[in-house]
Amino acid sequence: MKVKVFDSGDEPYKKWLQNHPEGYVLNTRRSPDTTYVIFHRSGCSEITKIKTGEAGGFTERKYIKVCAEETEPLAQWMVKNRSKAVAEWMRETPPDEKNDARPCGKCEPDVEVEEFGFYEHPEEETEPETHEEGSTATVEVNRYERSEAARQKCLEHYGAQCQVCGLRFEERYGEVGEGFIEVHHEVPLSETDGDVEVDPIENLKPVCPNCHAMLHRESPPLAVDELRERLRMES
């Protein structure tokens, strides 16, 4: 699902709202360094009514609107284009302190930080997440154990070496880096419908954190082979 960015025309933006009454909108300032990103439903009066009465007030001046039918593409857009806002969204703030990166308090869109996966790479499942989500323990633990088994089979086949840049952490950092690596799902778990059988050789690849982040700079994520080729061409 793609996002639509409106940054130079109010009429196309209003038409999108009309055609997507159940959609979602990120209202953000133009600067990539801004922490101001407010999450709205399409019908929210905060992003459908011009307060100044001036043309272009939605998308041609201080703000732009980023729209999608679902929440996940907007989260991916935030990670790629508003990294400071993501950090602000994640930050724990006292009740009396305004958090600029947040869901709208008026339309109250049904989104939570956890569903965006900002706190970790989207494919990585960790035991702390299982406890924090508070889901049925048996289901969550079973899912984690299957994921861990697939991870181990992947590492047994490839070793703890990044399949993009070739980095081995123990060679770079010594004993502290021994065995350290992340595992990338070639098909993101977010794109699957419920439980899915994972081939640990074909579907999983060990990658370093830097390459893992670069794989997710695009949506859908780049293939490991594609990023490796890009890196080769740049070197």
Side-chain angles (χ1 to χ4, degrees):
M1 189 70 64
K2 300 295 185 181
V3 301
K4 181 69 175 179
V5 179
F6 297 95
D7 62 358
S8 61
D10 282 359
E11 292 307 315
Y13 166 65
K14 289 188 286 186
K15 185 175 181 180
W16 189 95
L17 293 178
Q18 183 179 4
N19 293 334
H20 301 84
E22 300 299 320
Y24 297 87
V25 178
L26 292 183
N27 187 30
T28 182
R29 297 191 179 99
R30 291 181 173 275
S31 170
D33 293 329
T34 184
T35 60
Y36 185 90
V37 178
I38 311 299
F39 204 107
H40 300 270
R41 294 304 302 261
S42 292
C44 181
S45 60
E46 291 294 311
I47 45 91
T48 59
K49 295 180 180 179
I50 294 285
K51 296 181 174 62
T52 63
E54 297 179 357
F58 286 124
T59 66
E60 297 179 18
R61 289 185 171 82
K62 191 175 182 180
Y63 300 95
I64 65 173
K65 302 294 188 290
V66 186
C67 307
E69 295 181 36
E70 299 176 354
T71 59
E72 184 178 348
L74 295 179
Q76 294 174 354
W77 187 92
M78 284 182 66
V79 170
K80 184 175 181 179
N81 298 281
R82 296 292 186 273
S83 58
K84 290 186 177 180
V86 170
E88 182 72 10
W89 193 298
M90 286 291 300
R91 187 168 63 88
E92 295 182 2
T93 56
D96 60 342
E97 190 173 320
K98 182 178 179 181
N99 186 341
D100 276 344
R102 68 189 191 280
C104 172
K106 178 174 288 188
C107 65
E108 297 183 337
D110 51 344
V111 296
E112 298 291 341
V113 172
E114 286 81 2
E115 80 176 74
F116 286 167
F118 286 159
Y119 51 88
E120 63 176 3
H121 290 295
E123 300 84 18
E124 293 289 324
E125 294 181 9
T126 62
E127 196 166 6
E129 179 189 343
T130 299
H131 293 297
E132 291 172 4
E133 287 185 343
S135 301
T136 303
T138 301
V139 174
E140 294 297 331
V141 170
N142 284 347
R143 186 178 67 174
Y144 172 77
E145 288 176 349
R146 286 198 300 271
S147 175
E148 181 63 21
R151 173 189 171 91
Q152 290 304 317
K153 288 183 181 296
C154 169
L155 297 183
E156 288 173 7
H157 179 80
Y158 292 104
Q161 180 177 19
C162 179
Q163 296 300 294
V164 176
C165 69
L167 175 65
R168 289 183 181 272
F169 281 87
E170 63 269 28
E171 294 177 357
R172 178 69 62 84
Y173 299 102
E175 183 179 355
V176 69
E178 184 177 358
F180 179 80
I181 200 71
E182 294 182 357
V183 172
H184 171 70
H185 287 67
E186 291 275 38
V187 177
L189 293 179
S190 59
E191 295 182 6
T192 62
D193 185 14
D195 289 340
V196 61
E197 293 294 329
V198 174
D199 185 322
I201 309 303
E202 295 295 326
N203 303 136
L204 305 182
K205 298 294 190 305
V207 292
C208 71
N210 282 352
C211 291
H212 203 176
M214 292 301 100
L215 289 167
H216 287 278
R217 286 283 288 175
E218 296 189 6
S219 179
L222 292 168
V224 167
D225 290 345
E226 182 180 358
L227 185 59
R228 185 193 303 120
E229 180 62 17
R230 290 190 185 189
L231 188 63
R232 185 191 66 80
M233 293 176 64
E234 290 293 331
S235 61

